[in-house]
Amino acid sequence: MTDAYAKAGVNIDAGDRLVKNVRPFAAATARPGADGKIGGFGGLFDLRAAGFTDPILVAGTDGVGTKLKLAFALDRHNTIGIDLVAMCVNDVLAQGAEPLFFLDYYATGQLDSDAAAEVVRGIADGCKLAGCALIGGETAEMPGMYVSGEYDIAGFCVGAVERSALMPRETRVGDIMVGLASSGPHANGYSLIRKIITDAGFDPADPSPFSEDQSIGEALLTPTRIYVKSVLPLLSSPDIRAFAHITGGGLTENVPRVLSAKMKPRFEYSAISAPPVFEWLQRTGQIPNEDMRRTFNCGVGGVLICAPSAADRIISELASNGERAFVLGEIVGN
């Protein structure tokens, strides 16, 4: 049966090798509630062992979109898994949840076990950065479904928050928005980014005009920043009203998602010190400001909304946790 399936384009032995190779990566993500084992039909998690008493589960799923095309172009697969985890765990963080466990889905036309192992290694690295366990996943080899050498990935994260700590809380006029610096475009807007590169006559392997000692593709593969360990400890304070993950839709569409009725943000865009990539993209692609702010994070990967009296303290605590944070504006009446 194995030989017959191989003739149809599916390599069971390669799949078995992949499972064996990624087990140590998963084991390295073990945390209370999960033992990090891979290979069963389902992943297990014990909420009681994780210390929760009256939890609400929060689930999130996402992919990394056409950022994958740059990984394919450079044959570099070791960080794209961090993006996958980040896009999911930063979302559940916005509900006040601690990410508990993660599962991945990897689909390809012909399994390259080395590339797949690099992807899963990145996923495990992302899980460690987020403090969650990689408890399972699925690898699908589907001949004829994907271009040779390409794959797609999706991620699924479940977190938990005590019922009394669920976010967002009520926001108020005068509340302060604290921006958390991004590491670049993260994993949004890459269809436009790739069009700009192509239209300008660049190749992803060309030297980067906005980042020293890197190619354009390498610079744009900088992984999404994971905010869990720096933001989660702050969320127990009643001075924190909400957290917004700045993804597709940019600043202008994501912050309003966490505001109370009849509230809107008033941004101080001049406060943002954006990575040089954004200025290059805007200038090279001749993109209006409004389109930039609706497409990209523009240097802000997350926004905390807090009481005015707490803003300085929160910025200081974020700095001590390795984040560059700044006052981004305030909440006003609609």
Side-chain angles (χ1 to χ4, degrees):
M1 183 64 180
T2 301
D3 291 339
Y5 214 4
K7 290 177 181 178
V10 178
N11 191 331
I12 294 177
D13 291 337
D16 290 342
R17 286 195 300 272
L18 176 61
V19 172
K20 181 179 179 180
N21 289 340
V22 302
R23 277 177 178 150
F25 306 154
T29 70
R31 53 151 294 157
D35 60 13
K37 291 180 180 177
I38 293 288
F41 286 98
L44 305 178
F45 194 91
D46 185 342
L47 280 169
R48 184 180 298 174
F52 288 90
T53 55
D54 184 25
I56 292 177
L57 295 179
V58 181
T61 183
D62 211 335
V64 297
T66 59
K67 188 172 186 175
L68 285 172
K69 286 287 190 179
L70 293 177
F72 304 151
L74 298 183
D75 192 24
R76 178 174 167 176
H77 312 281
N78 60 325
T79 61
I80 205 75
I82 298 176
D83 288 290
L84 184 65
V85 175
M87 298 305 289
C88 298
V89 299
N90 288 341
D91 274 357
V92 302
L93 182 64
Q95 307 295 142
E98 174 188 354
L100 301 177
F101 59 87
F102 192 88
L103 300 97
D104 68 279
Y105 176 76
Y106 180 101
T108 187
Q110 183 175 9
L111 183 61
D112 179 338
S113 55
D114 291 336
E118 283 296 291
V119 172
V120 178
R121 183 194 295 271
I123 291 170
D125 289 343
C127 286
K128 286 186 282 188
L129 289 170
C132 65
L134 177 58
I135 67 170
E138 173 68 10
T139 301
E141 189 175 17
M142 298 180 286
M145 284 289 289
Y146 295 89
V147 174
S148 177
E150 297 193 357
Y151 55 82
D152 197 11
I153 51 175
F156 311 87
C157 175
V158 173
V161 56
E162 295 291 358
R163 191 177 305 272
S164 60
L166 188 65
M167 296 186 70
R169 303 182 177 104
E170 182 181 358
T171 54
R172 307 169 189 175
V173 171
D175 281 347
I176 298 297
M177 290 184 289
V178 173
L180 284 79
S182 69
S183 57
H186 286 180
N188 293 105
Y190 276 79
S191 294
L192 177 55
I193 288 172
R194 290 169 45 247
K195 184 178 187 301
I196 292 170
I197 292 171
T198 301
D199 289 351
F202 288 100
D203 184 274
D206 289 340
S208 171
F210 50 83
S211 179
E212 292 184 7
D213 302 321
Q214 288 183 303
S215 69
I216 292 174
E218 287 171 338
L220 288 168
L221 281 174
T222 300
T224 304
R225 191 156 183 83
I226 292 175
Y227 298 107
V228 174
K229 290 187 177 179
S230 55
V231 170
L232 189 63
L234 305 179
L235 299 186
S236 60
S237 169
D239 289 330
I240 300 289
R241 319 288 202 214
F243 174 73
H245 182 202
I246 309 305
T247 57
L251 281 169
T252 56
E253 294 188 10
N254 282 289
V255 173
R257 295 169 64 183
V258 299
L259 300 183
S260 301
K262 299 182 180 180
M263 302 281 166
K264 65 180 181 180
R266 183 166 67 195
F267 296 106
E268 295 291 341
Y269 292 111
S270 62
I272 303 173
S273 179
V277 60
F278 293 107
E279 188 277 331
W280 182 83
L281 288 169
Q282 183 169 22
R283 173 171 45 83
T284 305
Q286 297 183 318
I287 307 172
N289 285 335
E290 182 180 356
D291 287 348
M292 286 291 295
R293 294 163 185 165
R294 290 189 64 196
T295 305
F296 302 113
N297 65 57
C298 295
V300 184
V303 175
L304 276 167
I305 299 171
C306 67
S309 60
D312 289 343
R313 172 180 59 82
I314 287 166
I315 290 172
S316 177
E317 290 186 23
L318 287 168
S320 68
N321 287 329
E323 303 291 351
R324 184 169 63 83
F326 48 91
V327 172
L328 180 59
E330 65 177 342
I331 305 304
V332 297
N334 198 344

